[in-house]
Each structure stands twice: as C-alpha cells, then as structure tokens.
Amino acid sequence: MSGSTNRPVGRRTFVLATAAAAGTAALGGTASAAAFGWSDDGSNYVVDTGANLVFKVSKSNGDLTSLVYRGTEYQGYGGKNSHIESGLGSSTVSIRQSGSTILVSVAYGTLRHYYAARSGENNIYLWTNRADTSVASTRFILRVKAGLFLNDEPDSYTYAPTAIEASDVFAKSDGQTRSKHYSKLRVMDYDYVGWSANGVGLWIVRSNHEKASGGPFYRSLLRHQSADGGGLYEILHYAQNQTEAERFGLQGPYVIALTDGGAPSSSLFPGALTTSWADSLGISGYVPASGRGRVAGVGITGRNTAYPYTVGLANSAAQYWGSARSSDGYFSIGGVLPGTYTLTVYKGELAVHTGSVTVTAGGTTTLNTIAIASSNDPSNATAIWRINDWNGTPSGFKNADLMTYAHPSDVRAAAWTGNVVIGSGSETSAFPCYIWKDVNSGLLVYFRLTAAQAAAAHTLRIGVTTAYANGRPQVVINDTWTSAIPSPPTQPSTRSLTNGSYRGNNHTFTYSVPASAWKTDTSQYNVLKINVVSGSGTTGYLSAGTAIDAIDLLA
C-alpha cells in the first residue's frame, strides 16, 4: 500500500535546500566545470551528473562502489560497497545514455536492478525488479563512511559492548539497548531517511512500496550507525515479523538524494515523483502513469473521529494506501496498477471494513460513501469495563511507545508486572503492553460486579496485535473457572516483540464465562488472571508472548 506523508525522519526540522545548478568538481575539492556523462575506468562505470555528484557502479556485480559529492567520498564502511542485499555476485552490467538520462542496468539471474542519473541533479534513481525467491529478500543498503554524520538516532546505533539477542540487539553498560531494527516508524510515517551535517544532506527517499509487503503499518530497518559507519535502507521485502506473502515485480524508483544540508525536495516523495522521463528507458516491468488508475472515496461514515483512518488496497500483486480526511473520510489513492483489490478501512491499525474495488488504466474508480457497520468496531459493544480502547495497537499500555525503539530488557522500561484494579483510573497505563509466558504471565485484573451482573454469564474479550511462538492467553476467574486453551491465530513466525514491532495479525480471543464463576458478594473483587500458554519459544523475552490491544468484559 503506497502513500504520501510529508514527515521527515529525525529530531530536527530541516530547511529545504536546492541543489547547485552548476557543479563543483566531483573528484576534487575545488570548484570547476562538470560535464554530464559517463566513462569506463576498467572496473566501474563512472557517472558524472554534471552537478556535484559522481558515482561508480561495478561492472562485475552492480555494486555502488563510490559516491562522491563535492569532492568527498561518502560510500563505504567496513570495506563493503552499497548494493542489493549483501551483494549480488557476478552480474551482467551495462550502461547507456539517452539524452539527459544515463541508465545503468544490472542483471543477476532473474533479478534486474537499475541506477539512473539526470543531468544537473544530485540524485540517483533506483529500481529493483525481483521476479522470484532466487534472491532471499530485497533491500538496498547504502553504506556510508564513519565520521561524516552525527549519531542523531542513538537507538539505532549498533555499536555496543554486549550482544543480548542473536547478533543484532545490543546492550550498553548503562542498560540501554540498541539495534538496527529500532526505527520507531511505520512505512506510512516517513518519506525519507538519512543525515545532515556540515552543509551536506544524504538521504534515501523511499519508493511507493507497491511491491513490498506488510501494508502501511509495517516496521523495518531504516538506518543505523556503528563504529564502522552508517547504513540507510530501502526495504522492499524483509522477512522479520512479516504479515503478508511476498510480492514480485518492479519496485521504484527510490532515490539517493544529496543536498546542501536540507531535506530532500518534496518533489521526490512517494506520490509526488514524476518520472515520465523514464517511460522510454526499457526498464523491466515499468508501468507509466498512463497505465495506472486511481480510487477515490467520497466519504466514510461510522468513524470514531478520535482516531485516524487509513484506507488500504491490496492483492497478490500490489499494495497501496491513503489517509482518510478527518472531517468526512474522503480519500484518494493514485498510481494504482490495474486489477481488483481488497479495500480495507483501518481505525488506527484495526480493520473495521473490507470490500472490493477494481482499478482500470487511466481511469478513476469513484466509490460512494463507505458505511462502517457498528458491529465491525469492537469499541461499540457495551462493556462493564474496558482496559484501553480497540484500535489495533498497544498504544496507551505500559511501555508501548518504548517498545518501538528498545528491547524489553532496556533499563528505560517500567516493570513488566502490572496487576490493575478497574476503577482506579490507571488501568491502561499500569497494564503492560506485552505478556510473556516466562516473564509476566499471570497478570491480575480486579473488578467488582453488581448483583445483577454477577447473576449472568458474560463474554470476556482480549484483543492482541501479534504473538511470538504461538503465545496466546488462557484466563482464570476467581481461581475456580479456567477457560479452554484457545487455538493460536496465524501470526508471523519470526521475532516481533523484541525487535521493535507489535504489528502482526490483529485477533480477538473471546471467552464465555458462566455466571457460576462470579462472586456473589458485591463488596468483593472478582479476579481475572491472564496466563500466556504455548509449547513453543525459549526463555525470557523469547518465550511465547503476545501484544495486547484491549481487554473488556461485555455487559
């Protein structure tokens, strides 16, 4: 699901900078006239954009081996080049110039990868066409030399003394944790990632992710820094906590953009980038704007205006998304490949409506007002009590925000215990966002019922956003009634709760509690115990666990 949000990444607000119209020398530190064109140094194709940028592409494997801007080399850390995956190996690499565009084409088995330069621009446009699983995952890694930029995202700084999980989560001596996975952001939350220092900005502007997987809420690697240098990522498919099957085909363009220190031009952002100049380049799988369509909805009723709503389109070939206007729910999603899609309306990250829509090339499919059925939003059910509200995320629970950029063992995390009393006013903030079999299973919820309520059976609901190792809740009421162990819903098989992502497949567990389970003395608290059960997982934070969306007892 592709989208366009104009939100920069990082803790600073950058002033938009325009690239110099006439370049400084790319290979030297002094200003001189630069000519647009390319050459062959024997091992690489050398492309001069005619501005301030010269880059090299290996003729043997398609790696980006050099990135020189204003005479400074930015490419490379740890002796590694920038490339798809960890490098493609022996490839067929070719180059050609067509007017004001130079295209470098890389063929590796069934995979095709492209670099394009435009005369007078400090940008490199990239496309990747992955046809099958012969390349395990698809990500482009821009490797940046150490010491050129400040470490302004410390949670993704991966140089720390102690590896505490696998080889990619680390702990510092002060107890804070670091990992390249800790990006904080969902795909829909950013348009670009990178750094700015000393009058230079280096960025990757993401593609529209139409051939990626996971939808608008997916979280994955964005950037990291270590003692050896930094990495900027464009993740086209990544298996960690993945909720969807892989999609294949051409993804792009995504853009390596260099600036005078400011943010990349918004004209490069997903949904705004116009690449009609690429229509005739012969890029495998390329579909021009004329071969795409649009979906527009006049509005959405039945919304809870306290939440943002997102509309997603998805089928086996492509994914797209757009935000619904807060005032009336109007939405418009453009650049869509022809086909029939499942249309999903999300309240926060919770699906509350699904339908079908067909898109044709060159056309706009206009939808009448979408009405969200009251029964599709679990928040509309009358509850005796409710912990958190249903929105498809653990937001509001204890440690929820921290878990998008830290390990659960991080010293900044509050205690993972969290027994709560209904009516205390702190039910949600005191209750932990995650529950593990080996860490905090057996959490207690205390609540009173009126005589009439205690005389009736009730439905208990526990909503989860993902689970690790088939972790799911089994409940006990007053130590006298125990629910059956529910079947595990389909969830990603990889790590999730420890690598910065709570996003999986939202699922609601329901338990029919008989009247005999309740205490008849209305002055006494009833006690709900929530255990996590599973025969999978290991120990500690890698034992079976689950992330909580909401818990309620229906009237």
Side-chain angles (χ1 to χ4, degrees):
M1 303 175 182
S2 77
S4 179
T5 55
N6 300 334
R7 189 183 313 179
V9 171
R11 295 192 175 99
R12 307 189 196 96
T13 299
F14 295 105
V15 178
L16 185 64
T18 57
T24 55
L27 299 178
T30 59
S32 62
F36 176 71
W38 65 273
S39 60
D40 184 339
D41 70 2
S43 299
N44 306 278
Y45 291 121
V46 183
V47 179
D48 191 326
T49 67
N52 296 313
L53 176 63
V54 175
F55 65 93
K56 297 181 181 181
V57 178
S58 168
K59 293 168 58 180
S60 62
N61 59 19
D63 284 2
L64 182 67
T65 61
S66 176
L67 185 70
V68 175
Y69 179 67
R70 294 180 180 170
T72 298
E73 176 68 76
Y74 286 87
Q75 200 298 122
Y77 70 76
K80 298 179 180 180
N81 296 323
S82 300
H83 37 220
I84 287 291
E85 280 303 287
S86 297
L88 293 176
S90 180
S91 305
T92 300
V93 185
S94 60
I95 189 169
R96 67 184 178 91
Q97 182 171 341
S98 177
S100 59
T101 302
I102 295 171
L103 182 71
V104 180
S105 302
V106 181
Y108 176 77
T110 60
L111 185 140
R112 300 293 181 267
H113 181 63
Y114 303 90
Y115 303 87
R118 297 276 289 162
S119 178
E121 295 186 13
N122 293 313
N123 303 320
I124 306 174
Y125 299 84
L126 300 92
W127 289 263
T128 303
N129 190 332
R130 180 171 177 252
D132 52 42
T133 59
S134 58
V135 175
S137 296
T138 308
R139 59 182 182 180
F140 185 85
I141 307 174
L142 178 61
R143 304 185 187 273
V144 182
K145 292 175 66 175
L148 296 174
F149 297 102
L150 296 174
N151 176 29
D152 61 348
E153 286 291 332
D155 296 298
S156 62
Y157 186 80
T158 59
Y159 185 76
T162 305
I164 60 171
E165 185 176 295
S167 58
D168 56 9
V169 182
F170 304 88
K172 294 174 59 184
S173 58
D174 64 2
Q176 292 192 13
T177 55
R178 302 287 186 260
S179 176
K180 63 184 179 182
H181 295 287
Y182 297 155
S183 63
K184 298 183 182 179
L185 301 174
R186 307 168 301 178
V187 174
M188 68 180 294
D189 294 331
Y190 72 95
D191 290 311
Y192 59 90
V193 293
W195 299 289
S196 177
N198 302 317
V200 173
L202 176 58
W203 318 96
I204 283 186
V205 183
R206 72 166 174 86
S207 66
N208 68 355
H209 280 226
E210 70 181 0
K211 297 295 185 179
S213 302
F217 314 123
Y218 187 65
R219 298 174 187 268
S220 192
L221 286 69
L222 296 182
R223 64 177 181 174
H224 81 274
Q225 288 183 312
S226 70
D228 297 324
L232 300 179
Y233 297 85
E234 166 71 342
I235 299 295
L236 305 180
H237 177 79
Y238 199 62
Q240 286 283 342
N241 207 38
Q242 185 56 252
T243 58
E244 291 186 303
E246 300 175 57
R247 294 182 173 91
F248 300 102
L250 184 70
Q251 182 67 66
Y254 47 105
V255 187
I256 299 172
L258 289 116
T259 72
D260 294 336
S265 170
S266 59
S267 65
L268 302 176
F269 291 176
L273 180 58
T274 300
T275 55
S276 56
W277 50 266
D279 291 358
S280 60
L281 294 180
I283 294 173
S284 174
Y286 183 90
V287 179
S290 61
R292 298 170 177 271
R294 177 177 295 275
V295 175
V298 300
I300 303 172
T301 61
R303 293 174 298 120
N304 180 339
T305 56
Y307 293 95
Y309 282 72
T310 302
V311 179
L313 307 176
N315 61 20
S316 61
Q319 59 169 7
Y320 307 90
W321 65 81
S323 296
R325 192 162 61 193
S326 59
S327 59
D328 56 9
Y330 168 85
F331 62 91
S332 180
I333 305 171
V336 180
L337 292 171
T340 298
Y341 295 85
T342 297
L343 180 152
T344 305
V345 178
Y346 297 93
K347 168 197 173 186
E349 296 184 15
L350 183 66
V352 292
H353 174 86
T354 58
S356 180
V357 63
T358 298
V359 180
T360 58
T364 296
T365 302
T366 302
L367 302 177
N368 294 325
T369 298
I370 294 173
I372 299 173
S374 177
S375 59
N376 285 355
D377 185 346
S379 297
N380 292 330
T382 302
I384 297 172
W385 53 259
R386 177 170 291 146
I387 306 176
N388 213 2
D389 194 14
W390 297 82
N391 65 8
T393 83
S395 178
F397 283 120
K398 183 165 59 175
N399 294 328
D401 291 342
L402 179 66
M403 288 301 96
T404 64
Y405 60 94
H407 190 268
S409 65
D410 195 290
V411 69
R412 292 170 290 180
W416 285 103
T417 53
N419 300 338
V420 299
V421 177
I422 298 300
S424 64
S426 60
E427 296 94 335
T428 299
S429 61
F431 197 90
C433 61
Y434 300 162
I435 307 176
W436 292 270
K437 182 179 180 180
D438 202 34
V439 175
N440 58 348
S441 183
L443 292 175
L444 303 179
V445 178
Y446 296 87
F447 59 97
R448 290 190 175 98
L449 297 176
T450 66
Q453 292 167 343
H458 296 284
T459 296
L460 175 74
R461 302 187 300 183
I462 300 179
V464 303
T465 68
T466 193
Y468 176 69
N470 287 329
R472 65 270 197 198
Q474 182 185 36
V475 301
V476 180
I477 302 293
N478 294 323
D479 287 329
T480 60
W481 182 87
T482 302
S483 72
I485 297 176
S487 299
T490 300
Q491 296 290 1
S493 60
T494 61
R495 289 177 299 162
S496 54
L497 308 181
T498 60
N499 68 358
S501 180
Y502 58 77
R503 180 68 185 171
N505 296 311
N506 291 102
H507 181 80
T508 301
F509 294 95
T510 60
Y511 310 84
S512 298
V513 184
S516 59
W518 311 122
K519 292 184 178 180
T520 56
D521 184 345
T522 59
S523 67
Q524 292 184 327
Y525 282 108
N526 289 272
V527 182
L528 162 67
K529 179 187 289 186
I530 304 173
N531 295 317
V532 173
V533 294
S534 173
S536 304
T538 57
T539 60
Y541 298 108
L542 289 179
S543 64
T546 192
I548 306 298
D549 177 12
I551 306 170
D552 58 20
L553 184 67
L554 300 187

